Amino acid sequence: MILTVTLNTALDITYRVRSLRPHASHRVSEVTERPGGKGVNVARVLAALGHEVTVTGFTGGATGRVVQEKLASVPGVVDALVPVAGPTRRTIAVVDGQTGDTTQLNEPGPTVTPSEWSAFQEAYEHLLASASAVALCGSLPPGVPVGAYAGLVRTARSSGIPVLLDTSGEPLRRGVAARPDIIKPNADELAELTGSHDPLRATQDARRRGAGAVVASLGPRGLLAATRDGRWHATPPAPVRGNPTGAGDSAVAGLLSGLTEHLPWPARLARAVTLSAATVVSPAAGEFDLTTYKALLGQVVVDAA
């Protein structure tokens, strides 16, 4: 079982409009709602790839109940979310039908009390007993200590469970020091962590800070990886248009599935890039277009960096 942790779960709401214009009223042509947050998106993609996956994190209020109701209908995903008193957040994505651009609005999430955080840590340790790998994903809700991911990384490592960390800012900086097996920042997050805007130099610096492997998302230019086994740059065969929300989460799913299947790094990166591209052309985060995935998988170029 692969365990994904989403401390700040969400109800992802996507609106599609013909053209998004500031200071104007818009008629929404389509609305979709999905259980969300980065780790939930990762879990959905992993399940679609045939992996057993369990999601944990926090859920609360009416929005949290909707998230759990919708999660129950996702085949292959087990709900192990921990209840809190505060309401689960909503994220709003508005997709411009003419340009394909997406405007994102993210609520902060519920305030987690010390007792709720302790309850989560107990649940997490219990779930690790049957986990083959762990993904720690996304932002921290208010009330959760800024060093939370560092502690969760150490707990997983003490149990011998490989752990991937996908977050940003101070939680990432502290989490890297706990020596996760993989981190997956985007270019901006990597530059903030290391102070370097040269991706190759920055990935190497992030490894020196404690990460076993660093896989940096470069947007349309694919993924750059620095690992113990070497450095690679994986690029899609052609740019794809669509909604990029969740593309990085699909890349995480590709990396985790490749890890648990013991694939070599080039194959893991090719899968991650292909899933990311197939998610851009999909209508909602946490899903990927199977036809695009199959068409592109053999066309990703992975070169030594």
Side-chain angles (χ1 to χ4, degrees), residues 16-21 29 95-101 241-242:
R16 293 184 177 273
V17 299
R18 181 176 180 181
S19 176
L20 182 61
R21 305 180 308 279
S29 60
V95 181
D96 186 312
Q98 291 187 349
T99 66
D101 292 338
R241 286 192 58 191

Side-chain angles (χ1 to χ4, degrees), residues 16-40:
R16 293 184 177 273
V17 299
R18 181 176 180 181
S19 176
L20 182 61
R21 305 180 308 279
H23 317 299
S25 296
H26 298 78
R27 186 176 297 277
V28 177
S29 60
E30 181 182 349
V31 180
T32 57
E33 291 185 346
R34 299 286 190 278
K38 294 178 72 66
V40 175

Side-chain angles (χ1 to χ4, degrees), residues 22-269:
H23 317 299
S25 296
H26 298 78
R27 186 176 297 277
V28 177
S29 60
E30 181 182 349
V31 180
T32 57
E33 291 185 346
R34 299 286 190 278
K38 294 178 72 66
V40 175
N41 294 338
V42 171
R44 191 185 292 111
V45 174
L46 283 168
L49 292 171
H51 289 270
E52 295 181 1
V53 58
T54 296
V55 297
T56 190
F58 294 114
T59 182
T63 305
R65 288 192 292 274
V66 174
V67 166
Q68 291 189 283
E69 289 169 4
K70 292 184 176 296
L71 200 57
S73 66
V74 181
V77 175
V78 175
D79 175 1
L81 294 169
V82 176
V84 293
T88 294
R89 67 187 177 130
R90 297 164 298 177
T91 66
I92 312 295
V94 183
V95 181
D96 186 312
Q98 291 187 349
T99 66
D101 292 338
T102 302
T103 299
Q104 191 84 15
L105 303 172
N106 296 329
E107 296 179 355
T111 297
V112 176
T113 67
S115 62
E116 289 168 341
W117 173 236
S118 295
F120 171 79
Q121 290 175 288
E122 291 180 10
Y124 175 70
E125 291 185 27
H126 176 74
L127 290 166
L128 283 177
S130 55
S132 58
V134 180
L136 306 174
C137 303
S139 62
L140 300 178
V144 173
V146 70
Y149 281 136
L152 298 180
V153 168
R154 294 188 187 99
T155 301
R157 286 182 57 83
S158 68
S159 300
I161 309 300
V163 56
L164 183 152
L165 176 62
D166 183 15
T167 188
S168 60
E170 186 65 12
L172 174 60
R173 189 184 71 80
R174 297 197 186 193
V176 167
R179 307 186 71 81
D181 295 271
I182 306 171
I183 63 169
K184 199 225 56 79
N186 62 33
D188 290 338
E189 292 162 350
L190 185 61
E192 182 182 5
L193 173 67
T194 64
S196 174
H197 291 274
D198 177 341
L200 184 57
R201 179 179 299 174
T203 54
Q204 293 169 315
D205 181 70
R207 284 206 65 219
R208 286 192 292 270
R209 291 168 183 257
V214 181
V215 182
S217 175
L218 306 180
R221 294 183 292 130
L223 297 173
L224 178 66
T227 79
R228 295 183 181 91
D229 301 323
R231 299 191 300 267
W232 292 274
H233 185 196
T235 54
V240 293
R241 286 192 58 191
N243 179 7
T245 305
D249 305 329
S250 292
V252 168
L255 295 172
L256 269 181
S257 63
L259 170 68
T260 58
E261 294 171 30
H262 307 290
L263 297 180
W265 270 105
R268 297 185 204 180
L269 295 169

